[in-house]
Amino acid sequence: TKSRFSGAGAERAERPAEKRLFVGANWKCSLESVEQVDQLLSSIATAVSAETKGLAGLELCIFAPYVFLERARRILPTEIRVGSQNAWDAAEGFACTGVVTSSMLKGIGCDWVLLGHSDRRNVLGESHDLISQKVRRCLESGLKVNITIGEKKEAREKGQELQVLQEQLESVAKAVPADR
């Protein structure tokens, strides 16, 4: 049987690529107890089961905190992809305590990773260069990347939002191999 995470890649190899609308959802760390997570995942599973016809042509992905990836994988129906909220292995050969690498995520069957979130850019100080390196490494590992971009309120007030968004996208675009 196929891993529930590897379904999209296996399907792509078996038939021509079809265009699908992608919808990703991220609950950050707002749910911290197993009970809260189980309740959310069960309600999503129930809603999706009731709406299977409406999901045709849609790729739905839930980006769970790392500690809940396996739980999400177990509770959610296979029609829903499960992705990690981050990966960090930008430094080649650098084994760092407490990080989750793209190879680790791929190894547990993860298809997607969310990178560039404003929390990580603005609170943790992740730079365009670091995010670009992470994108490159994740793509090299075979993960799909959902890159998030966004401007701060100050940039919006100065009319610089498009410039900020363009800088974020251009930086990441340089990390994407030409064959992608």
Side-chain angles (χ1 to χ4, degrees):
T1 64
K2 293 181 189 175
S3 161
R4 71 176 259 68
F5 285 107
S6 62
E11 292 166 2
R12 188 172 41 254
E14 295 168 8
R15 64 176 192 258
E18 60 186 54
K19 290 191 176 189
R20 296 173 69 189
L21 177 64
F22 177 83
V23 176
N26 168 29
W27 76 73
K28 299 187 180 196
C29 289
S30 57
L31 303 178
E32 295 182 0
S33 76
V34 170
E35 295 78 19
Q36 290 175 315
V37 169
D38 285 355
Q39 182 179 4
L40 174 67
L41 294 173
S42 295
S43 67
I44 292 170
T46 300
V48 166
S49 295
E51 288 294 327
T52 53
K53 289 181 184 176
L55 294 178
L58 177 71
E59 183 167 3
L60 178 59
C61 183
I62 302 298
F63 292 98
Y66 183 73
V67 297
F68 297 124
L69 284 173
E70 184 62 33
R71 191 168 215 88
R73 191 170 92 168
R74 193 169 14 90
I75 294 173
L76 293 172
T78 57
E79 296 85 10
I80 300 176
R81 304 288 180 234
V82 177
S84 177
Q85 292 180 351
N86 189 44
W88 194 93
D89 57 343
E92 185 81 39
F94 178 67
C96 184
T97 302
V99 300
V100 178
T101 68
S102 56
S103 295
M104 289 176 182
L105 294 170
K106 191 65 179 175
I108 63 168
C110 202
D111 279 328
W112 283 93
V113 63
L114 178 71
L115 297 174
H117 196 280
S118 62
D119 295 341
R120 301 196 64 85
R121 290 178 191 267
N122 301 329
V123 178
L124 300 177
E126 287 193 358
S127 67
H128 297 335
D129 287 340
L130 177 60
I131 293 164
S132 296
Q133 290 172 32
K134 289 165 57 168
V135 166
R136 182 184 54 80
R137 293 295 301 270
C138 287
L139 291 172
E140 288 171 352
S141 294
L143 293 171
K144 297 177 196 174
V145 175
N146 179 351
I147 187 73
T148 63
I149 62 170
E151 78 287 351
K152 290 182 180 179
K153 179 181 177 184
E154 295 81 22
R156 246 186 341 271
E157 289 173 346
K158 293 178 183 177
Q160 298 173 337
E161 63 272 15
L162 292 179
Q163 177 186 346
V164 169
L165 300 177
Q166 183 174 351
E167 288 172 6
Q168 292 173 2
L169 281 177
E170 284 177 352
S171 176
V172 169
K174 292 175 188 172
V176 177
D179 64 344
R180 298 278 174 153

